Amino acid sequence: MAANLLRALEFCLILFTIASIGGTSHEEQARKITEEFSGFPAHSLHSHFTLSPSTASVDIEGLRRQIEELASFSDAPGPAVTRVLYSDKDVLARRYIKSLMVQAGLLVREDAIGNIYGRWDGSEADLPPVASGSHIDAIPYSGKYDGVIGVLGAIEAINVLKRSGFQPKRSLEVIMFTSEEPTRFGISCIGSRLLAGSEELADALKQVVDGQNISFFEAARSAGYPIHQEDLSSVFLKKESYHSFVELHIEQGPILEEEGIPIGIVTAIAAPASISVDFEGNGGHAGAVLMPARNDAGLAAAELALAVEKHVLESGCIDTVGTVGVIELHPGAINSIPSKAHIEIDTRDIDEQRRNAVINKIRLSAIRIAENRGVTLSKFKIVNQDPPALSSSSITATMQDAARQLNLHSKPMISRAYHDSLFMARISPMGMIFIPCYKGYSHKPEEFASVEEITNGVKVLALTLAKLSLE
Amino acid sequence: MAANLLRALEFCLILFTIASIGGTSHEEQARKITEEFSGFPAHSLHSHFTLSPSTASVDIEGLRRQIEELASFSDAPGPAVTRVLYSDKDVLARRYIKSLMVQAGLLVREDAIGNIYGRWDGSEADLPPVASGSHIDAIPYSGKYDGVIGVLGAIEAINVLKRSGFQPKRSLEVIMFTSEEPTRFGISCIGSRLLAGSEELADALKQVVDGQNISFFEAARSAGYPIHQEDLSSVFLKKESYHSFVELHIEQGPILEEEGIPIGIVTAIAAPASISVDFEGNGGHAGAVLMPARNDAGLAAAELALAVEKHVLESGCIDTVGTVGVIELHPGAINSIPSKAHIEIDTRDIDEQRRNAVINKIRLSAIRIAENRGVTLSKFKIVNQDPPALSSSSITATMQDAARQLNLHSKPMISRAYHDSLFMARISPMGMIFIPCYKGYSHKPEEFASVEEITNGVKVLALTLAKLSLE
């Protein structure tokens, strides 16, 4: 049933797409269909392109406008962006991305959980294609660039190539991944992880609920993806599905900006792990229960948060990081001793063993703190514990060549944030292009990359995709 | 305008009350009027009383039913109770209390912020009356007995005296105070504090908003109290308004239960203070910002929470307590370094100086933690810092006499929780009667006092009120 609906949607998208490719009269037709399909006036989209080599440049004004338009689909007031998986704003933003893909002449399809694919057929369309993409979901009160640059930038890279008269040999594909951020269900990279064939995730999705006790499947249904548990494996892709995958992203760190280097060539992605912990005590009245009689779940959480920092610093390596981003106390009243505390821990390293040693120390601390305070450690769950990923040396070399040909200085670097590329690396050779961002800020409203920085990134991406397409 | 409305309401209540006092035909009339007034079927109220001495006992079955009925006005599923100031459930519960007062033959009036008074005129009605009462608001996910016993128990004590044929000399008055709990506006004992003439509170109420940015006055209006800023002083009472005030309450501590003593005679109420603290840092991405570059507002909050515990324990006295019941992180996402942290601290002692020394240490810790972590201490606000209160030795003696006459063992003790009595002590001689509660539990659903324990408390209260009335 769900599969039929998706096939029907796919068929419509194919029709729209076919109609949108071609000369000027077809362009007008495409504009109208795009308006119907997207629900947005096409004049606000990037609609003026030709295929002549004279326009082989980045439409930076169009791209800047798209970034602002996409940021307006937000549950937080601007400049902050909040766009959570399968929320109304997420659905609107997805429709916007599909309309841009259609407008770029791509053949658009969606899989069962809403990974969106836009394909430009190459002259040898039977060969595994070259793909690029990222995500557009945004954690609460974050910024406009994280992920977004990798989706809008990839679509614009396609436009650049089309305007330049380039004809790909291998097909080129833009992918918008579902829910890179773990905001709603506590699981990161749902789209790319499932696409890369994670049976573990397919199992986990059958159990998870969000903070309002809404299951993954209910949430998906409300966003127009009426999937069933057994449909999840339809998202899996085979290992040979892609020739290569390249993701453009803001650095989310300060190195490129500080060193004045426009392009980062990612050689490895740090290994992330996330942990969910619950403590439970007896609670009670803040005035009446004397200190020796207490077993305060909130203080256990506070101690564990500081223990996370201590164990990370003990690693002695700058590459080890750990964060407690969530502490929730129950009942959360000033005159009540917390009877429950929930904390969420994120820890990463480029060295998997070193990171796992930190996780083990955190676990031992949680047990010791619970014992000392007489509280129950009712949950210590490692939600995910992924290995790090290495970029393909061949793609790294191609990206470096592209930067050199464009007279852009580049620098090999490690991605300390993780990305959909971490999971795409499981089924395809992978590479990432970083551009500088203001003070290295990310996950907050001050996140910013200039039009020049974005232009550089899109050019390197376009040339890299072109080179890979001809391999 | 508001004053006129209140006067009109008062007049109606007087009419209802007059109608409800008297013989059997009047009782039927009272029942009908009570139903109209309260919106509840009167058969579920305590409606079968006579004034003969043979029934001079506590209607414990009726009282137990009232406790359950009152608990059903809750925004949390039972057995938990959530009843927040001026919420719909609070309004329903207030109506229920007024109907019980009317049913008990009391003359009911409300002041501008919803303190509810029910009076039984004495034979010398010009003398300052004797009052008893407590509150019925409940913090999130708390229990059925805190405050409730002191309101329902006082009404039942009046019924006991009426059934016994007692005729008071001084009038007896039951008071239900507005918002003893600080849940909605972060201020405790709004009703009793204002009634006791706090100009400081009257000023503060002009500024405060709740978590949804609703002002105190908007909230009051939505509950049917259309007050204006200038009306607040109408709530103030003069110092000689009452001859004495006695509050019945569960102990909220384990001492009486552990020692098998049915009645606690409160000699002093510990001095409470509450503090609101905000830290602010730069936030950022949990993977990309390296540890030395962080200024984590969440870890500052965790450190301060542990510092509160440390400074309280350093006092070396069992009577000093301190609690962090609220920690809120922003943006509250697993992969984002907290850029803001809000914590709320409650600290109390029977020794005001010792408590203030703890507050001072907490303040110094907050400053030091902010410096060390490079975060901003954007708020350190002492929301209230009240002095402790001593019971009147004369009332204490009267309560002890009453317990002795009823063959109930009693024990002098300190109230570590604070109560409306703390503020009534500012304008009236004050005393408190404690009864045991299960394991000393309070502010959680497991809160419990048996019918025998409640019966004992109501009897001692009734006899104490009778004695004080004749002074």
Side-chain angles (χ1 to χ4, degrees):
Chain A
M1 178 72 155
N4 285 345
L5 276 171
L6 284 168
R7 270 196 294 277
L9 174 64
E10 216 170 290
F11 181 67
C12 292
L13 290 169
I14 291 167
L15 286 182
F16 293 160
T17 309
I18 290 168
S20 71
I21 302 173
T24 312
S25 67
H26 281 176
E27 269 185 23
E28 176 59 16
Q29 200 181 347
R31 191 186 62 76
K32 283 186 183 163
I33 293 170
T34 300
E35 282 187 354
E36 270 178 54
F37 173 67
S38 69
F40 303 105
H43 64 78
S44 71
L45 305 175
H46 172 77
S47 60
H48 311 289
F49 64 84
T50 70
L51 296 180
S52 79
S54 65
T55 55
S57 64
V58 176
D59 175 7
I60 187 60
E61 183 46 39
L63 194 49
R64 198 199 55 73
R65 198 175 56 236
Q66 288 167 13
I67 292 166
E68 293 303 321
E69 282 173 352
L70 193 53
S72 73
F73 303 119
S74 165
D75 280 319
V81 179
T82 299
R83 196 161 49 236
V84 176
L85 173 64
Y86 298 148
S87 65
D88 291 351
K89 295 293 160 54
D90 183 42
V91 170
L92 289 172
R94 288 163 171 276
R95 204 157 65 164
Y96 182 71
I97 294 297
K98 286 183 278 191
S99 75
L100 291 179
M101 287 180 170
V102 169
Q103 190 67 27
L106 302 179
L107 178 70
V108 180
R109 71 183 196 281
E110 275 185 290
D111 67 18
I113 62 162
N115 288 314
I116 300 172
Y117 303 78
R119 180 177 291 206
W120 180 14
D121 274 339
S123 58
E124 297 187 23
D126 291 343
L127 293 175
V130 173
S132 178
S134 192
H135 66 99
I136 61 159
D137 64 321
I139 69 163
Y141 300 98
S142 60
K144 299 174 183 173
Y145 299 86
D146 173 10
V148 164
I149 293 303
V151 178
L152 298 180
I155 297 171
E156 179 57 16
I158 298 290
N159 285 326
V160 167
L161 294 178
K162 289 198 162 186
R163 284 195 295 267
S164 74
F166 177 78
Q167 174 58 48
K169 186 176 98 180
R170 293 176 183 275
S171 300
L172 292 177
E173 196 158 282
V174 179
I175 311 180
M176 192 220 82
F177 296 99
T178 281
S179 197
E180 195 261 358
E181 306 289 2
T183 314
R184 185 156 188 181
F185 293 103
I187 304 171
S188 64
C189 297
I190 292 178
S192 50
R193 201 187 286 259
L194 203 61
L195 180 157
S198 171
E199 296 274 5
E200 200 186 349
L201 175 60
D203 280 346
L205 289 179
K206 293 170 187 167
Q207 313 293 335
V208 295
V209 293
D210 69 6
Q212 271 69 50
N213 216 30
I214 298 170
S215 75
F216 176 79
F217 294 96
E218 282 173 84
R221 198 170 301 124
S222 75
Y225 302 101
I227 37 170
H228 292 279
Q229 298 191 357
E230 59 273 23
D231 296 334
L232 287 178
S233 61
S234 72
V235 178
F236 297 172
L237 293 181
K238 288 189 184 134
K239 283 213 172 181
E240 62 271 37
S241 299
Y242 291 103
H243 167 268
S244 45
F245 176 80
V246 183
E247 182 171 2
L248 173 65
H249 210 284
I250 58 169
E251 181 195 340
Q252 304 183 286
I255 298 170
L256 292 175
E257 187 186 58
E258 278 173 10
E259 301 185 7
I261 297 172
I263 296 293
I265 303 290
V266 173
T267 55
I269 301 177
S274 29
I275 310 167
S276 178
V277 183
D278 289 343
F279 289 111
E280 292 184 32
N282 281 328
H285 191 289
V289 183
L290 297 181
M291 301 305 280
R294 295 186 178 203
N295 39 28
D296 186 323
L299 292 180
E303 248 191 271
L304 187 61
L306 292 168
V308 168
E309 184 189 43
K310 176 169 167 278
H311 297 320
V312 164
L313 294 177
E314 279 165 359
S315 95
C317 179
I318 195 75
D319 291 323
T320 319
V321 292
T323 309
V324 174
V326 176
I327 301 181
E328 289 165 357
L329 305 186
H330 177 90
I334 184 172
N335 54 356
S336 198
I337 300 162
S339 60
K340 291 182 199 166
H342 169 71
I343 67 177
E344 294 181 14
I345 303 164
D346 175 297
T347 177
R348 313 181 191 204
D349 205 319
I350 52 167
D351 181 321
E352 189 175 8
Q353 277 193 308
R354 196 166 54 210
R355 184 208 60 193
N356 290 352
V358 169
I359 292 175
N360 202 38
K361 283 185 177 182
I362 295 172
R363 185 200 298 273
L364 293 175
S365 279
I367 293 167
R368 181 186 51 75
I369 291 166
E371 273 176 13
N372 289 351
R373 291 199 169 269
V375 298
T376 305
L377 177 62
S378 50
K379 180 163 115 183
F380 187 95
K381 188 181 173 196
I382 298 173
V383 180
N384 63 281
Q385 190 173 17
D386 298 299
L390 291 179
S391 299
S392 147
S393 57
S394 153
I395 296 179
T396 303
T398 308
M399 296 188 294
Q400 278 167 333
D401 278 354
R404 197 177 306 120
Q405 283 177 31
L406 291 161
N407 274 328
L408 294 167
H409 192 42
S410 73
K411 175 191 172 89
M413 62 195 306
I414 287 157
S415 170
R416 298 180 192 283
Y418 62 102
H419 301 281
D420 292 304
S421 291
L422 184 71
F423 302 97
M424 286 305 286
R426 295 182 179 178
I427 58 163
S428 167
M430 173 278 291
M432 286 193 79
I433 300 163
F434 271 178
I435 57 170
C437 59
Y438 173 63
K439 287 192 178 178
Y441 286 169
S442 186
H443 280 197
K444 53 183 187 170
E446 294 84 352
E447 193 178 83
F448 177 74
S450 72
V451 290
E452 292 75 18
E453 287 158 346
I454 297 169
T455 301
N456 291 335
V458 172
K459 281 183 180 167
V460 175
L461 176 63
L463 193 49
T464 301
L465 294 178
K467 286 169 178 282
L468 293 171
S469 155
L470 299 177
E471 282 184 359
Chain B
M1 178 75 155
N4 286 344
L5 276 172
L6 283 167
R7 271 197 293 278
L9 175 64
E10 214 168 292
F11 182 68
C12 292
L13 290 167
I14 291 167
L15 287 182
F16 292 159
T17 310
I18 290 168
S20 71
I21 302 172
T24 313
S25 67
H26 282 176
E27 269 185 23
E28 177 57 18
Q29 201 181 347
R31 191 186 61 76
K32 283 186 184 163
I33 293 169
T34 301
E35 283 187 354
E36 270 178 55
F37 173 67
S38 68
F40 302 104
H43 63 79
S44 71
L45 305 175
H46 170 78
S47 60
H48 311 290
F49 65 85
T50 72
L51 296 179
S52 80
S54 65
T55 55
S57 64
V58 176
D59 175 9
I60 188 59
E61 183 47 38
L63 194 49
R64 197 199 56 72
R65 197 175 57 237
Q66 287 167 13
I67 292 166
E68 294 303 321
E69 281 172 352
L70 193 54
S72 74
F73 304 120
S74 166
D75 281 319
V81 179
T82 299
R83 195 161 48 236
V84 176
L85 174 64
Y86 297 149
S87 64
D88 290 352
K89 295 292 161 55
D90 183 42
V91 170
L92 289 172
R94 286 164 172 275
R95 206 158 65 165
Y96 182 71
I97 294 299
K98 285 184 278 191
S99 74
L100 291 179
M101 286 180 171
V102 169
Q103 191 67 29
L106 302 178
L107 178 71
V108 180
R109 69 181 197 281
E110 275 186 290
D111 67 19
I113 61 162
N115 288 315
I116 300 171
Y117 302 79
R119 181 176 292 206
W120 179 14
D121 274 338
S123 58
E124 296 186 25
D126 292 343
L127 293 175
V130 173
S132 178
S134 192
H135 67 100
I136 60 159
D137 64 320
I139 69 164
Y141 300 97
S142 60
K144 299 174 183 173
Y145 299 85
D146 173 10
V148 164
I149 294 304
V151 178
L152 298 180
I155 298 170
E156 179 58 15
I158 298 290
N159 286 327
V160 168
L161 293 178
K162 289 198 165 187
R163 285 195 294 267
S164 74
F166 178 77
Q167 175 56 49
K169 187 176 99 181
R170 293 176 184 275
S171 299
L172 292 177
E173 196 158 282
V174 179
I175 311 179
M176 192 220 81
F177 297 99
T178 282
S179 197
E180 195 260 356
E181 307 289 3
T183 314
R184 185 158 188 179
F185 292 102
I187 303 172
S188 64
C189 297
I190 291 178
S192 51
R193 201 187 286 260
L194 203 62
L195 179 157
S198 171
E199 296 275 3
E200 200 186 349
L201 174 59
D203 280 347
L205 289 178
K206 294 170 187 167
Q207 313 293 334
V208 296
V209 292
D210 69 6
Q212 271 68 50
N213 216 30
I214 298 170
S215 75
F216 175 79
F217 294 95
E218 283 173 84
R221 198 169 302 123
S222 75
Y225 303 102
I227 36 170
H228 293 280
Q229 298 192 356
E230 59 271 24
D231 297 334
L232 288 177
S233 61
S234 72
V235 177
F236 297 172
L237 293 181
K238 290 190 184 133
K239 284 217 171 181
E240 61 272 33
S241 300
Y242 291 102
H243 167 268
S244 45
F245 176 81
V246 183
E247 182 171 3
L248 173 65
H249 210 283
I250 57 169
E251 182 196 340
Q252 304 181 285
I255 298 170
L256 293 174
E257 187 185 59
E258 278 173 13
E259 301 186 6
I261 296 172
I263 297 293
I265 303 290
V266 173
T267 55
I269 301 177
S274 33
I275 309 167
S276 179
V277 183
D278 288 343
F279 289 111
E280 291 185 33
N282 281 328
H285 191 290
V289 183
L290 297 181
M291 300 306 279
R294 295 186 177 202
N295 39 28
D296 186 323
L299 292 180
E303 248 191 273
L304 187 61
L306 293 168
V308 168
E309 184 188 42
K310 177 169 166 278
H311 297 319
V312 164
L313 294 176
E314 279 165 359
S315 94
C317 178
I318 193 77
D319 291 323
T320 319
V321 294
T323 308
V324 174
V326 175
I327 301 181
E328 288 165 357
L329 305 186
H330 177 91
I334 185 174
N335 54 355
S336 197
I337 300 162
S339 60
K340 290 182 199 166
H342 169 71
I343 66 177
E344 295 181 13
I345 303 164
D346 175 298
T347 176
R348 313 179 191 206
D349 205 318
I350 52 167
D351 182 320
E352 190 176 6
Q353 277 194 308
R354 196 167 52 211
R355 184 207 60 194
N356 290 351
V358 168
I359 292 175
N360 202 38
K361 283 184 177 184
I362 295 172
R363 185 200 299 273
L364 293 174
S365 280
I367 293 167
R368 180 186 52 74
I369 290 165
E371 274 176 11
N372 289 351
R373 291 199 170 268
V375 298
T376 306
L377 178 62
S378 50
K379 180 162 116 181
F380 188 96
K381 188 181 174 196
I382 297 173
V383 180
N384 63 280
Q385 190 172 17
D386 298 299
L390 291 179
S391 299
S392 145
S393 56
S394 154
I395 298 179
T396 305
T398 308
M399 296 187 294
Q400 278 168 332
D401 278 353
R404 198 176 305 119
Q405 284 176 29
L406 291 161
N407 273 328
L408 293 167
H409 192 42
S410 73
K411 175 191 173 89
M413 61 194 307
I414 288 157
S415 170
R416 298 178 194 283
Y418 62 101
H419 301 281
D420 292 304
S421 291
L422 183 72
F423 301 98
M424 287 305 285
R426 295 182 180 178
I427 58 163
S428 167
M430 172 278 291
M432 286 193 79
I433 301 163
F434 271 178
I435 57 170
C437 58
Y438 173 63
K439 288 191 178 180
Y441 287 168
S442 187
H443 281 197
K444 53 183 188 170
E446 293 84 351
E447 193 178 82
F448 177 74
S450 72
V451 291
E452 292 75 19
E453 288 157 345
I454 297 169
T455 302
N456 291 335
V458 171
K459 280 182 180 169
V460 174
L461 176 63
L463 194 50
T464 300
L465 294 178
K467 285 169 180 281
L468 293 171
S469 155
L470 299 176
E471 283 184 0

